[in-house]
């Protein structure tokens, strides 16, 4: 077997080991671009991906990126063995999925194992996503995909204690029910270790809002202890690596914005399964401006969630909610956190829609968790809130995660006023979300929008419909300019 | 809009421009991994692909790979503008194909244009291949794909003169009919500008064999002139960029060895269309060890070739041939070139199977090109060969391309002998091809296998069945060892 002279390339390649040959050497060894090769240096060896360089490499030389160089303890003047590796078996299964075959549990597990171990290239992962997108994943496959994602990521374990969880299929600005539901539910002794997302294209995710008040922890061991101590937490799922395979797959889904339904369901269920949830509430907002546009689609998803839940041993309840306008008044981390605390403190100006939605959902979870009789969950949740138990419990959670000092409100506040008199007949979520982002949310915690009027509210000419909160003059000017062109509100005149 | 401080990264990224931001900066700008961004420095601008670096970059800094740095004339201490580009429209069409929709001519053209311009990432191209693989391409789409590949590559143009061409759907070692067919056909005044492949996994392609005798030209302008002067040439298609889009797509097809049928057909027809061929012969070897295993598959391909040809204005004739054993005696560039020259020189030990197959194919092309009446092509071809006209024409082509001195035969020759007496009942093409490659083919021109016995030949005990030709002792030892384990021949004893 040919031995090659190593050249060190001063480039980091990330997790994957990458080696380079010139065309002639690759040809001689019958190796091709993208091949997996085994590189050996005495007792040190690695599997690397082969790239071909059209220039800069001598015959019988092999270029090693920094990680690869280190891995095999290469030194100048040495010679390395190189040979072709078999492709991972998972590439065969991926091709089967592309061809429309059902994948068994073992095959799905193998694919996910290889994805997490970085043994599959982006191209190979893309073929997997394509197969799942075009042919779909049935409930059994989706459940197996969920299990595989959980198996090959970190997870929490609370033994026999009952864990409940909730998930909202996003899209509604200001929808911070989680921060009210978790303290209500955990005050009854149920466990609710809640991982949430950060904003991706929205002005704030639950994790961004929680981060205004408390530290967002990303160490699975610490989180386990916090939940054992106070019954729950609210943190950022992305930091905890609970569904590592998911992050990889999302990377290749993004360029075409592909949401293969089975992958979406598995991704959500994996987050529940990985914290050991046995009862789960799924909130599907429905409306023209949110992800799920109509009831037919919502019902189809509901049925799949319930079936997949059964296969995973998770009892799922699905509720449909109104996705037609923002929930609460604040949009942006600080303003949303203030809404949440007002509800928990039962202040008179607390947003009623946020309070009612949170109470309803907490009620469902109390019933699911056996803490309230069917039909009595809402009442129990309201009692817990009104007696101040939820607030007390939230303070415990905040202290357990590490309390943070609330930032001050934004320096600049601009009142957007209406020129018409009438009734608010439509609020454009997309416009409001965009303004909040321009105002700085989610990175500038205080930036955002504070709604003063909601759907069906009466407005007088010149009355404020919402305020723009912003700490930066340039951004504020841009936000003002955009709101002047389209403030996102439709006022029906009488 | 935010302006960013450029950092130069000492890495070449290839054709694509790549820039890097840290997570915070990307988040602030609402940009995501893989996004296309427009980077501006005064009058200089480029479209680049965004990558996110988890370490090493400061907030509000932008890392530029070497090509990107050069493209926008960046300098330290400057500030660059960055903004999100719209995705190319072709990504929308790719998603449509994934969803099973038929693609119009315009959409296919747009996709191929973007592939050639390097405006689509590997992930996006992989989705295109997936869509074509799963949903297929109908004849109309395939014809449009062919046209687009030709349009966005270089091509030859011979005005009204009749151009003929042939193609063999590979897989048979030693199958060098092209080098006999081209001189016969072009001696009659027909044009036959033939581009061929190099060996990929085989011991020699036609281009490798031709290169033993003459230069292989890769300049489209020069090739045009040679064909105008002597009627044809035999060169390597890969060097001429006649189907640039193809090379890109093959890169993402390789990892899963995907051969979407429509892409395969378009790739073949594009090579014919790009040289202006109006009549074309397709040779489909059929057999258990070649690409096309059975007649049903062969007939299906024949029908598609003919239909797609009609849509492109190319009259296609398809022949099925025997793929059960190597054609000719030599396997490897020099040995195959010697076979070809023996046939052209009508030497008594010229391989008859190669001669007959070439005459048959030349005859079909003479009939297709109107140089022989139906049924009289073979006879005319034989006359041209026997009168020495084909040899004379081949010499002209060799001189036009640039004659090369033939290399000497291999220094080491090892005779593989049979221990049995009987009749050759099977030759394993894969074993013979592998031995030829170990012996040095195609890079060592003289390396290869010379068959002394073919199917149905009688052999005595101890008789030579083939010779291994090799210039390197280590390689020869390896080849001997392998042939001792399995020489690839099955001898049926009487």
């Amino acid at each position: 077997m040919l031995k090659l002279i190593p050249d060190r390339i001063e480039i980091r390649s990330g997790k994957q080991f990458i080696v380079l040959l010139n065309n002639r050497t690759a040809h001689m060894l019958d190796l091709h671009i993208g091949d997996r090769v085994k590189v050996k240096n005495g007792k040190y060896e690695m599997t690397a991906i082969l790239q071909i360089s059209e220039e800069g490499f001598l015959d019988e030389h092999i270029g090693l990126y920094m990680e690869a160089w280190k891995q095999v303890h290469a030194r100048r003047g040495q010679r390395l063995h190189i040979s072709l590796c078999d492709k991972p078996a998972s590439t065969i299964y991926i091709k089967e999925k592309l061809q429309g075959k059902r994948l068994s549990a073992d095959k799905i597990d193998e694919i996910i194992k290889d994805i997490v171990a970085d043994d599959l290239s982006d191209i190979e992962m893309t073929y997997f996503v394509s197969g799942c997108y075009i042919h779909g994943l049935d409930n059994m496959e989706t459940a197996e995909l969920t299990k595989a994602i959980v198996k090959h990521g970190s997870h929490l374990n609370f033994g026999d204690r009952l864990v409940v969880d909730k998930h909202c299929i996003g899209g509604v600005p200001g929808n911070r029910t989680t921060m009210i539901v978790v303290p209500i539910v955990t005050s009854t002794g149920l466990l609710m270790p809640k991982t949430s997302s950060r904003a991706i294209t929205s002005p704030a995710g639950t994790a961004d809002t929680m981060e205004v008040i408390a530290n967002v922890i990303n160490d699975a061991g610490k989180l386990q202890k916090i939940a054992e101590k106070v019954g729950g937490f609210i943190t950022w799922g992305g930091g905890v690596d609970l569904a590592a395979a998911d992050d990889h797959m999302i990377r290749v889904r993004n360029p075409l914005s592909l949401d293969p339904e089975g992958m979406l369901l598995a991704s959500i269920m994996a987050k529940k399964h990985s914290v050991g949830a046995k009862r789960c509430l799924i909130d599907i907002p429905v409306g023209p401006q949110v992800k799920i546009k109509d009831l037919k689609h919502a019902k189809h998803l509901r049925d799949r969630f319930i079936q997949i839940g059964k296969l995973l041993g998770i009892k799922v309840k699905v509720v449909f909610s109104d996705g037609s306008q923002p929930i609460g008044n604040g949009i942006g981390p600080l303003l949303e956190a203030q809404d949440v605390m007002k509800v928990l403190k039962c202040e008179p100006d607390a947003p009623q829609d946020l309070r009612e939605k949170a109470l309803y959902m907490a009620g469902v979870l109390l019933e699911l968790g056996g803490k309230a009789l069917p039909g009595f969950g809402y009442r129990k949740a309201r009692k817990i809130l009104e007696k101040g138990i939820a607030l007390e419990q939230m303070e415990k959670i905040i202290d357990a995660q590490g309390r943070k000092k609330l930032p001050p409100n934004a320096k600049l506040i601009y009142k957007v006023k209406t020129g018409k008199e009438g009734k608010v007949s439509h609020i454009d979520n997309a416009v409001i979300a965009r303004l909040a982002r321009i105002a700085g949310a989610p990175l500038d915690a205080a930036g955002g929008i504070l709604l003063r009027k909601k759907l069906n509210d009466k407005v007088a000419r010149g009355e404020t419909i919402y305020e723009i909160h912003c700490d930066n003059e340039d951004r504020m000017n841009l936000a003002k300019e955009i709101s002047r062109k389209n403030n996102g509100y439709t006022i029906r005149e009488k």
Side-chain angles (χ1 to χ4, degrees), chain A:
Chain A
M1 194 61 215
L2 206 64
K3 286 183 166 187
L4 303 173
I5 302 162
D7 294 336
R8 181 180 157 108
I9 308 172
E10 300 299 322
I11 297 181
R12 290 187 182 284
S13 59
K15 279 188 192 171
Q16 257 180 351
F17 298 122
I18 293 176
V19 298
L20 278 156
L21 300 177
N22 74 8
N23 262 316
R24 242 188 95 84
T25 310
H27 198 107
M28 192 152 55
L29 296 166
D30 199 7
L31 296 173
H32 301 263
I33 222 171
D35 276 349
R36 278 177 194 77
V37 291
K38 179 172 281 178
V39 181
K40 265 187 90 166
N41 181 24
K43 62 178 176 173
Y44 304 108
E45 65 174 55
M46 67 178 165
T47 299
I49 302 292
L50 178 67
Q51 292 187 352
I52 308 286
S53 168
E54 281 164 47
E55 41 174 323
F57 281 92
L58 297 176
D59 287 0
E60 305 197 11
H61 275 241
I62 179 170
L64 286 84
Y65 278 57
M66 287 164 72
E67 291 86 347
W69 181 271
K70 205 174 154 195
Q71 180 72 10
V72 293
H73 294 73
R75 289 211 212 128
R76 277 173 223 287
Q78 279 179 329
R79 293 243 172 187
L80 304 180
H81 277 277
I82 179 170
S83 56
L84 183 67
C85 294
D86 284 339
K87 278 186 180 284
S90 53
T91 60
I92 297 167
Y93 312 147
I94 289 173
K95 197 164 173 179
E96 288 175 5
K97 188 70 213 175
L98 264 188
Q99 290 164 343
K101 290 178 193 147
R102 268 197 83 254
L103 291 180
S104 67
D106 287 350
K107 291 180 180 178
I108 290 173
D109 186 75
E110 190 73 19
I111 293 169
I112 296 302
K113 175 177 79 64
D114 286 347
I115 287 177
V116 173
D118 265 321
D119 280 343
L120 289 175
S121 69
D122 281 1
I123 291 174
E124 289 154 346
M125 255 193 297
T126 303
Y127 282 122
F128 182 53
V129 173
S130 298
C132 297
Y133 181 74
I134 299 180
H135 298 298
L137 292 165
D138 66 21
N139 289 340
M140 192 75 90
E141 287 177 302
T142 306
E144 294 302 339
L145 179 59
T146 307
K147 286 182 198 166
I149 292 172
V150 172
K151 181 176 157 193
H152 301 287
S154 43
H155 36 266
L156 307 184
N157 189 340
F158 298 100
D160 289 338
R161 290 187 62 186
L162 188 58
V163 177
V164 301
D165 206 342
K166 72 171 271 291
H167 183 85
C168 173
I169 301 205
V172 188
N175 191 11
R176 292 292 83 78
T177 53
T178 292
M179 291 170 68
I180 301 159
V181 171
V182 170
I184 293 175
V185 167
T186 55
S187 75
T188 68
L190 290 169
L191 282 172
M192 190 161 177
K194 183 76 186 79
T195 63
S196 297
S197 54
R198 287 193 188 277
I200 299 171
T201 54
S202 69
T206 293
D208 302 302
T209 302
M210 186 64 182
E211 206 173 19
V212 172
I213 306 176
N215 293 323
V216 156
I217 315 269
N218 57 19
D219 176 300
K222 277 189 198 161
L223 288 171
Q224 172 95 26
K225 276 182 202 147
I226 291 172
E228 280 164 2
K229 189 176 160 201
V230 297
F233 52 72
I234 299 162
T235 194
W236 177 42
V240 197
D241 230 16
L242 290 171
D246 228 42
D247 297 335
H248 285 77
M249 290 189 282
I250 283 169
R251 200 179 64 237
V252 303
R253 282 163 49 189
N254 275 341
L256 250 61
S257 308
L258 290 188
D259 274 339
E261 189 179 281
M263 285 192 167
L264 189 82
L265 296 170
S267 164
I268 292 168
M269 294 307 278
K271 279 159 200 149
K272 312 302 144 199
H273 199 41
S274 67
V275 297
K278 295 288 174 215
R279 305 278 191 279
C280 184
L281 169 62
I282 307 276
D283 171 22
I284 306 183
V286 182
Q289 282 206 313
V290 293
K291 196 161 199 163
I292 310 304
K293 312 287 182 207
D294 57 65
L295 260 182
K296 194 183 158 205
H297 189 185
K299 283 178 178 167
H300 163 77
L301 285 179
R302 175 191 62 195
D303 295 346
R304 291 209 67 187
F305 268 119
I306 290 170
Q307 290 303 320
I308 294 161
K310 272 186 191 156
L311 294 167
L312 295 167
I314 301 175
K315 187 173 179 185
V316 175
K317 176 152 175 95
V318 177
V319 299
F320 304 144
S321 61
D322 175 18
S324 63
Q325 68 170 336
I327 310 281
N329 300 329
I331 294 148
L334 177 61
L335 295 169
E336 293 182 26
Q338 288 169 340
D339 271 359
V340 164
M341 295 314 291
K342 278 180 187 171
V343 171
L344 286 170
K345 288 176 180 166
C346 299
E347 291 183 6
D349 62 341
Q352 288 308 299
D353 56 348
L354 177 63
R355 173 189 154 108
E356 286 309 306
K357 184 166 180 189
L359 285 177
Y360 171 72
M361 299 185 73
V364 172
L365 281 170
L366 291 177
E367 292 173 19
L368 271 176
K371 296 293 179 180
L373 288 173
F376 290 84
Y378 173 84
R379 252 174 281 186
K380 177 148 187 185
R382 199 176 63 192
K383 208 175 265 177
I384 291 170
L385 183 71
E386 287 175 350
K387 280 191 173 172
I389 300 170
L391 177 63
E392 198 179 314
Q393 173 65 9
M394 183 62 162
E395 302 290 356
K396 280 186 199 160
I397 293 171
I398 292 171
D399 286 330
Q401 293 189 206
R403 183 179 297 271
K404 288 173 80 171
K405 198 171 159 263
L406 276 195
N409 275 312
K411 282 179 296 198
L412 309 169
I413 294 175
Y414 174 76
K415 293 181 177 177
V416 175
K417 294 173 181 175
T418 174
K420 288 184 184 173
E421 182 172 327
K423 217 171 169 184
V424 178
S425 65
H426 180 247
I427 299 176
D428 188 327
N429 287 348
V431 170
I432 299 299
R434 187 166 171 231
L435 282 173
R437 281 186 75 95
I438 289 169
L443 285 175
D444 295 343
I449 302 292
L450 185 58
L451 304 182
R452 289 303 186 185
K453 297 288 172 186
K454 307 274 303 254
L455 270 189
N456 297 320
D457 281 354
K458 283 184 190 161
V459 287
R461 195 182 309 271
E463 212 180 351
T464 299
I465 47 177
Y466 57 83
E467 301 170 4
I468 303 174
H469 287 228
C470 185
D471 273 327
N472 171 300
E473 239 170 283
D474 289 345
R475 284 175 174 271
M476 180 58 111
N477 286 333
L478 185 58
K480 277 186 201 172
E481 196 186 310
I482 288 172
S483 76
R484 244 174 258 132
K485 278 184 205 147
N486 176 9
N487 62 28
Y489 270 57
T490 310
I491 311 287
R492 187 172 301 141
E493 289 168 288
K494 275 177 289 193

